[in-house]
Structures are given as C-alpha cells and as structure tokens.
Amino acid sequence: MMPIDAHAPITITALKWVPPFAQGQVRDHRLRWMMKEVGWDYAVELIDPTVQESSGYRAQQPFGQVPVLREAGRPILFETGAILLDIAERSGKLLPDDEADRALAKCWLFAALNSVEPLLAEISVADIFLEDKEVAKGYRPYAVKMAELRLGQLSGYLGDRDWLVGDDFSLADLMMSSVTKTVHHTDLVEAHDNLAAWRDRCFVRPAYKAAIAEQCAEFEGHGPKDMGWGEETNEKGEEA
C-alpha cells in the first residue's frame, strides 16, 4: 500500500450547474462525502460542457463525466466506485477490519453500482428523460416493477441490521444509500421500513450533510448560462 501524503493537493471535478431535479444527486457528491468521512482536504474544479468535451479532459475521463480525482504523484482516477475504494483502502477507513467483512463490503459496493442503480435509474428515464409521454406512461410500470424487486431484495438482506456489513457504517452503506437517491422523488424506499430507516441513518451523518450542502451551494452560485445553455432551460437541462 502506498504511503499517504497528507499534504498532497487533491482536486475533484464537478459541474458548475445542473437542473433542480439533479441537484444533490450528481455523483461528485459521493466523492465529497467520502473525503469528508476520511478527513482529507480537497479542492473542487467546476467545469462545463466545453471542458467535458475537450480532448484534455477526455484523456482523463474518457466519457466526459464527473468526477475525476487528481492527486500529485498519482494517476488521475475516474469512476466513483473505483475512486471511493481507492480512498478507503489508502486511508484505512470505511472498510471493516475483519477480512471477511471487508471482502463482503466490496461486494456490496459493486452490487450498488451494477445490480441496483441501473434498475432504479429506469424510473428517472420514465419520469424525466423520455420525451414521448405515451411511451413513458407505458414503460413506467415495468420500471417500477423492476425497481421494487431490487429494493425488496435489498430490504430482505438488510433485515434488522443497522448496516449492510459488520457493526458500523462502511463504504458499502455510503454507496448503496447514495444509489437510493435515484428514486428520491418516489416512495419506493419508504415501502420498506427497515430500508428507509437505514437510509436515514446514512444521511444523518455530518459528512453527508456537509457534502450535499457544499455541492448545492455551488449550484446556487451558477445557472444555465454557466453551462452554455439559455435561460429558458427546462428541468431536464434542455433549452426550451
């Protein structure tokens, strides 16, 4: 394991502005949350679509997304799951001490991103992104059915546990609870008392509250024009 340089300058990228439905949801909030949990300082570089589409940024993040993490003397990292796992391993925090639990926490990190998030995201496709409202109306029941299935399975596994793995909050809880935000505009999580209580235990953490407040404060200081959009931008981020 590489030694941690507590004085290494760390920068993460984030968007200058997003429509209201996405505020508090853009994935850099996961990295901000993690950094605050482990106590690492960082700077934020706010970017816009021009930067996202540039060859320089695409060399760092091939898909033009946020966030990336830049740290002196280390490779530039992208993909929040990979970044968070790297930070957890290097800091020695948010991973259980028990070897078996540590391995299981990593399983749940990937489960959040691969098995749960894609199905929950389909709700947003139906509710926000599909332009044809008749298609959206027809598709939504299927999207809800699949999301309900996954959340029911998650609730069943969680049972009466306080946390997904071991006896304390871990990287698994951070990522999975963040994923549930995808359906925050529905009552799908609230349909499971244990799941809603677990999510609330995660979101009451000071590091989470600080991360969301920080991200949203930056959005409040910017607007559609900072993203190269017109003032008549709708809730999807499209110019009317």
Side-chain angles (χ1 to χ4, degrees):
M1 184 173 66
M2 292 183 64
I4 298 170
D5 180 0
H7 303 290
I10 298 175
T11 300
I12 68 174
T13 60
L15 297 176
K16 291 180 178 178
W17 185 84
V18 295
F21 80 88
Q23 296 183 12
Q25 296 239 43
V26 186
R27 292 178 182 179
D28 61 274
H29 88 267
R30 298 171 178 173
L31 181 48
R32 296 173 194 253
W33 184 3
M34 183 71 180
M35 297 287 278
K36 293 180 186 300
E37 289 282 359
V38 304
W40 286 9
D41 293 329
Y42 59 93
V44 178
E45 177 188 343
L46 299 177
I47 67 173
D48 57 28
T50 300
V51 174
Q52 289 179 274
E53 295 166 8
S54 68
S55 58
Y57 192 75
R58 289 300 176 99
Q60 300 172 10
Q61 217 298 355
F63 312 107
Q65 300 168 326
V66 296
V68 299
L69 182 145
R70 305 187 189 106
E71 183 176 356
R74 302 194 78 240
I76 295 173
L77 302 182
F78 65 99
E79 292 295 333
T80 53
I83 298 173
L84 267 58
L85 180 57
D86 177 75
I87 293 172
E89 291 180 332
R90 293 170 57 216
S91 68
K93 297 181 180 179
L94 269 63
L95 282 174
D97 293 331
D98 178 80
E99 184 178 354
D101 282 348
R102 180 180 290 249
L104 192 56
K106 294 177 183 179
C107 288
W108 278 107
L109 168 68
F110 286 98
L113 297 170
N114 295 336
S115 295
V116 179
E117 186 171 39
L119 293 184
L120 301 192
E122 291 303 303
I123 301 291
S124 295
V125 171
D127 290 351
I128 300 171
F129 296 107
L130 277 177
E131 295 183 2
D132 189 319
K133 296 308 177 185
E134 286 302 311
V135 172
K137 183 179 179 181
Y139 181 67
R140 194 177 195 278
Y142 173 77
V144 169
K145 178 181 178 181
M146 298 308 296
E148 287 176 335
L149 172 64
R150 277 292 185 265
L151 290 173
Q153 292 166 335
L154 179 60
S155 172
Y157 175 85
L158 182 64
D160 60 0
R161 297 180 176 91
D162 284 341
W163 308 109
L164 285 173
V165 180
D167 298 324
D168 203 356
F169 176 82
S170 74
L171 180 63
D173 300 295
L174 189 157
M175 184 59 78
M176 187 67 79
S177 62
S178 173
V179 163
T180 67
K181 289 165 65 74
T182 308
V183 292
H184 76 288
H185 64 294
T186 76
D187 60 0
L188 292 175
V189 174
E190 282 71 16
H192 306 278
D193 290 343
N194 67 332
L195 208 55
W198 159 80
R199 176 205 58 195
D200 293 345
R201 277 193 294 276
C202 295
F203 290 172
V204 77
R205 296 179 69 83
Y208 170 79
K209 292 182 177 181
I212 296 300
E214 180 180 275
Q215 185 189 72
C216 290
E218 290 167 355
F219 292 144
E220 289 175 3
H222 297 84
K225 283 189 175 181
D226 294 299
M227 297 297 283
W229 302 334
E231 288 293 349
E232 298 300 320
T233 298
N234 66 22
E235 65 176 9
K236 300 179 186 178
E238 300 168 339
E239 292 187 47

